[in-house]
């Protein structure tokens, strides 16, 4: 892909849509040393911004999320898909191995913090533990994706 194509792909992905076709296109793209330095920064920034948006969607809507256990389940399934997608993007060969590991560690740490916030809030909302159990059942198994 040329630089303009990369920018178009990153712009489409910035909006939060999970598009496996675009991911595959990025994964199959050869490294172009002429543009890779500029791409690395843009890819890194897009992944970080997209992850922060995913976290804020959850943490800012806790009251709504805990209004229905089925809604909580839906939110957690979508969050898991988003995290898996971002992990795959973090493994792009255009990023250095150091940058890949740093992004994956940040995503993993942020995800665990979200789960901690959700479990703590669920204890306040539901002393019976139904919400907490839903969160635990939907937690990401890191060994499956990293």
């Amino acid at each position: 892909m040329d630089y303009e194509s990369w920018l178009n792909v990153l712009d489409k992905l910035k909006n939060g849509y999970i598009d496996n076709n675009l991911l595959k296109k990025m994964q199959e793209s050869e490294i172009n040393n002429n543009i890779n330095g500029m791409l690395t920064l843009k890819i890194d920034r897009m992944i970080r911004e997209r992850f922060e948006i995913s976290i804020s969607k959850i943490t800012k809507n806790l009251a709504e999320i805990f209004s229905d256990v089925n809604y909580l389940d839906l939110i957690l399934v979508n969050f898991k898909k988003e995290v898996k997608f971002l992990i795959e993007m973090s493994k792009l060969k255009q990023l250095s191995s150091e940058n890949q590991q740093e992004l994956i560690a940040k995503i993993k740490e942020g995800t665990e913090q979200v789960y901690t916030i959700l479990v703590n809030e669920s204890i306040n909302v539901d002393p019976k533990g139904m919400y907490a159990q839903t969160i635990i059942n939907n937690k990401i198994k890191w060994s499956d994706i990293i």
Side-chain angles (χ1 to χ4, degrees):
M1 283 194 304
D2 63 2
Y3 188 66
E4 186 175 341
S5 298
W6 270 101
L7 292 179
N8 289 335
V9 167
L10 293 174
D11 192 46
K12 288 178 186 175
L13 291 175
K14 189 187 325 182
N15 296 326
Y17 298 108
I18 295 176
D19 189 332
N20 289 317
N21 292 326
L22 289 178
L23 177 62
K24 185 176 180 181
K25 185 176 181 179
M26 291 189 306
Q27 289 170 332
E28 293 174 350
S29 180
E30 294 299 319
I31 294 177
N32 182 339
N33 291 329
N34 295 327
I35 62 172
N36 202 52
M38 295 180 290
L39 279 180
T40 299
L41 295 172
K42 293 193 179 296
I43 294 169
D44 182 276
R45 186 177 320 127
M46 193 274 297
I47 292 170
R48 290 176 189 270
E49 288 175 2
R50 186 169 166 159
F51 184 61
E52 291 300 322
I53 290 169
S54 297
I55 290 174
S56 68
K57 283 180 184 177
I58 291 176
T59 56
K60 290 184 179 180
N61 294 320
L62 291 177
E64 185 179 346
I65 289 172
F66 286 108
S67 65
D68 180 13
V69 72
N70 294 319
Y71 185 62
L72 172 65
D73 189 53
L74 175 67
I75 293 294
L76 291 170
V77 167
N78 288 336
F79 183 63
K80 187 186 297 187
K81 287 179 185 176
E82 177 72 11
V83 168
K84 287 180 179 180
F85 186 75
L86 292 174
I87 293 286
E88 287 304 312
M89 284 185 56
S90 298
K91 295 177 183 177
L92 290 173
K93 60 188 168 194
Q94 284 73 17
L95 300 171
S96 69
S97 61
E98 289 175 0
N99 194 236
Q100 290 174 4
Q101 294 304 316
E102 181 182 323
L103 283 169
I104 291 169
K106 176 157 179 56
I107 292 169
K108 186 176 178 181
E109 178 185 333
T111 301
E112 290 300 321
Q113 289 174 350
V114 167
Y115 287 137
T116 301
I117 290 168
L118 290 173
V119 167
N120 290 339
E121 184 66 22
S122 74
I123 293 168
N124 295 333
V125 174
D126 176 32
K128 294 179 184 177
M130 186 170 59
Y131 285 101
Q133 192 60 47
T134 301
I135 296 163
I136 291 167
N137 290 343
N138 280 292
K139 278 185 99 171
I140 292 175
K141 294 173 183 66
W142 295 109
S143 59
D144 293 346
I145 63 171
I146 294 182

